[in-house]
Amino acid sequence: MTHLTRQELQQTHCFINGAWMGAGQQLPVHNPATGQLIARVPRCDGTQARTAIEAAHAAGTGWAATPAGQRARLLRRWFELIVAHTEELAQILTEEMGKPLAEARAEIGYGAAYVEWFAEEARRIHGDVIESGRPGSTFVVVKRPVGVVAAITPWNFPCAMLARKLAPALAAGCTVVAKPAEQTPLSALALARLAELAGVPAGVINVVTGDPVAIGAQLCANPLVRKISFTGSTHVGKLLIRQSADTVKRLSMELGGNAPFIVFDDADLDLAVTGAMHSKFRNAGQTCVCANRIYVQAGVYDRFLEKFVARVRALTVGNGLEAVDIGPLIDARAVAKAALHVRDAVDQGARVLVGGGAHALGGNFFAPTVLADVRADMLITREETFGPVAPVIRFESESEVLAQSNDSDFGLAGYFYSADPARVARVAQALECGMVGINTGLISSEVAPFGGIKQSGYGREGSHYGIDDYLSIKSLCHGDL
Ligand code: ADP
């Protein structure tokens, strides 16, 4: 198997119709830990986006007609190349995004798992045969690829978010134009380079880097794009929904969350503390399924805080290339938002138990923070913080905490800890969200459906459901011959 060096993987051109090409203007990519310039990539606009869409469209017929087994083998080869290049990909990811190298390696494994999963699912796209009820006629239901897919991905998981859109799209027989976040284009380009090496035909995967507004407008307006799969903020998701109305596109929207994390009196406290650490502080709190509101029942409130604060105090902060627990936030705007949420809570009576603001390292580093005595009307419980700040709220009863948890426009993830089977059954049903962690803080897996309800979006990624978003149902009514 060919092995590329990190330099060979770090592409600085965009990838259109199997060719690596530049654009007149360039987009700088910075390391959020140091502020240093890492690379410049093309600053594409609507023109290059259109070229990529046309290439994807032209490649679509051939790719859809490629036998599923052949598509599966190509995906499998891509998966193996990703795994073989874990170290190189993780280095690129940490440099452009900031997360600790150990988490970057885990993300490459997690992203690769989606490619492996959908390599397997490619051969399991089944329809139905339905008796019509009328003599002499039968319905045959087949599933067809939706066509050209635009994949718009965020910076917080630059490898995994792309892999979990590209893999089901390719498995279903769709071709793709990917637009990675402007902060983290290098991971997407490196994945495309490995797909090229795996033998994925020209035009099947295209990656355009650059101006999100101009590229986004083209992806939404162009009738050749039949579907948009987006992961990012609710604000941009709503914009894409509006912009796609005129061409009536299929949409998958994985938007913001505001996850409640509930610890009941009967919970295993050590397990709950560990779960809160995973759910809150992974990726420095920059995941859409991060615990955003930690509700702890009165009977264990003080003990939970004591154990939790001790764990948070022990977290090490620094450049992700060194052995640290928490890297920098993505940019100064993210630091300002976390600081605002802390300030607003403290002004209204919350107590800072550890951290509380910018980290001594300066730059984009934020101190891991625990706030106690947070209340429902504070900014930090209403909005997604996307930073390493844990607001802890005391509650008395199950009905009270369920009402507060569900009092949100969002419904992506929720978590709770309880040893009572009857409560587990009740609360799991009652939480209004797409995914529930029960006595665990880690809920993401390629084998399970990922996605939300309410303004957290619609569509599911991963699992056997994940391929449905890329398939259209076609009914063939067979009459008498
Ligand atoms: P965040 O606030 O976490 O950066 P965004 O929703 O802004 O999340 O970004 C997610 C993705 O959406 C990125 O790839 C970004 O470039 C893209 N994006 C931002 N604005 C637009 C837009 N107007 N049209 C299309 N894509 C956009």
Side-chain angles (χ1 to χ4, degrees):
M1 188 188 287
T2 314
H3 196 95
L4 302 182
T5 63
R6 190 234 148 113
Q7 275 64 36
E8 287 167 328
L9 258 189
Q10 189 166 307
Q11 293 293 329
T12 51
H13 289 87
C14 58
F15 189 53
I16 299 177
N17 205 16
W20 295 93
M21 48 178 80
Q25 297 193 348
Q26 299 212 300
L27 183 75
V29 183
H30 293 105
N31 180 335
T34 62
Q36 278 169 350
L37 181 75
I38 309 168
R40 293 178 201 278
V41 297
R43 188 181 162 81
C44 298
D45 57 21
T47 312
Q48 287 90 359
R50 191 169 60 237
T51 308
I53 293 166
E54 286 165 2
H57 184 250
T61 311
W63 183 245
T66 302
Q70 171 65 3
R71 293 203 302 268
R73 278 189 291 278
L74 285 170
L75 282 168
R76 178 92 213 164
R77 209 173 299 150
W78 189 29
F79 158 74
E80 282 161 2
L81 282 165
I82 295 170
V83 171
H85 289 84
T86 297
E87 203 50 43
E88 292 81 1
L89 289 167
Q91 292 269 344
I92 292 172
L93 204 169
T94 290
E95 266 201 27
E96 69 174 348
M97 190 272 149
K99 70 177 59 176
L101 209 44
E103 285 193 34
R105 291 189 191 107
E107 181 184 335
I108 305 304
Y110 175 57
Y114 282 92
V115 181
E116 183 182 38
W117 175 267
F118 285 108
E120 293 158 359
E121 288 298 295
R123 301 206 297 170
R124 319 218 190 293
I125 298 168
H126 303 301
D128 287 303
V129 177
I130 305 172
E131 293 301 327
S132 77
R134 283 200 308 268
S137 74
T138 304
F139 291 96
V140 175
V141 179
V142 296
K143 293 184 182 170
R144 302 293 305 148
V146 295
V148 175
V149 172
I152 303 177
T153 51
W155 49 263
N156 62 341
F157 288 88
C159 169
M161 294 304 104
L162 195 65
R164 80 179 183 194
K165 297 185 190 308
L166 293 194
L170 265 59
C174 300
T175 54
V176 183
V177 177
K179 196 217 74 67
E182 52 275 31
Q183 296 92 334
T184 57
L186 300 175
S187 294
L189 294 170
L191 282 182
R193 177 73 188 93
L194 292 177
E196 181 189 27
L197 197 60
V200 173
V204 171
I205 293 178
N206 306 272
V207 182
V208 285
T209 57
D211 179 356
V213 176
I215 297 171
Q218 175 62 221
L219 293 175
C220 292
N222 194 315
L224 296 180
V225 176
R226 292 309 323 140
K227 176 187 170 67
I228 295 186
S229 177
F230 173 73
T231 300
S233 62
T234 299
H235 168 72
V236 172
K238 288 178 181 176
L239 180 76
L240 296 175
I241 294 169
R242 274 186 222 113
Q243 289 187 167
S244 298
D246 282 343
T247 48
V248 193
K249 294 196 198 315
R250 287 274 292 269
L251 299 171
S252 296
M253 292 282 147
E254 207 268 87
L255 309 177
N258 182 4
F261 184 105
I262 308 167
V263 183
F264 288 101
D265 279 345
D266 57 34
D268 178 327
L269 265 199
D270 290 322
L271 204 64
V273 169
T274 298
M277 295 302 293
H278 288 150
S279 171
K280 178 71 250 183
F281 291 103
R282 192 165 64 105
N283 208 14
Q286 303 173 107
T287 89
C288 49
V289 293
C290 271
N292 202 55
R293 305 171 276 161
I294 302 180
Y295 296 99
V296 185
Q297 202 160 9
V300 292
Y301 185 77
D302 291 331
R303 272 196 302 140
F304 175 87
L305 276 176
E306 195 183 316
K307 286 171 184 272
F308 188 45
V309 166
R311 292 280 295 273
V312 175
R313 218 180 274 288
L315 290 172
T316 54
V317 178
N319 188 326
L321 292 175
E322 290 149 22
V324 293
D325 300 313
I326 305 268
L329 299 192
I330 189 69
D331 54 24
R333 204 161 54 104
V335 173
K337 185 174 189 192
L340 171 69
H341 281 189
V342 172
R343 218 169 33 245
D344 173 80
V346 170
D347 284 351
Q348 296 186 66
R351 286 182 294 135
V352 176
L353 299 187
V354 54
H359 190 272
L361 287 171
N364 295 329
F365 293 98
F366 198 91
T369 296
V370 178
L371 301 176
D373 304 343
V374 170
R375 287 192 323 270
D377 51 351
M378 296 174 180
L379 201 55
I380 199 160
T381 53
R382 317 268 357 141
E383 286 185 9
E384 193 175 28
T385 306
F386 238 62
V389 182
V392 183
I393 305 155
R394 181 200 295 262
F395 74 92
E396 301 289 337
S397 71
E398 186 181 306
S399 57
E400 172 200 357
V401 78
L402 281 174
Q404 285 197 35
S405 296
N406 291 338
D407 179 20
S408 168
D409 289 336
F410 299 95
L412 190 59
Y415 307 83
F416 70 95
Y417 281 72
S418 169
D420 172 355
R423 171 171 274 157
V424 165
R426 272 194 314 270
V427 175
Q429 288 290 345
L431 281 176
E432 293 173 1
C433 51
M435 296 168 284
V436 183
I438 303 162
N439 294 319
T440 178
L442 296 172
I443 54 171
S444 304
S445 162
E446 77 283 7
V447 309
F450 190 105
I453 60 170
K454 299 183 179 174
Q455 293 188 31
S456 291
Y458 41 76
R460 291 294 179 270
E461 298 192 301
S463 81
H464 70 272
Y465 300 104
I467 204 157
D468 292 343
D469 280 16
Y470 298 89
L471 293 166
S472 298
I473 290 173
K474 188 173 190 178
S475 171
L476 315 176
C477 181
H478 288 265
D480 276 335
L481 283 177

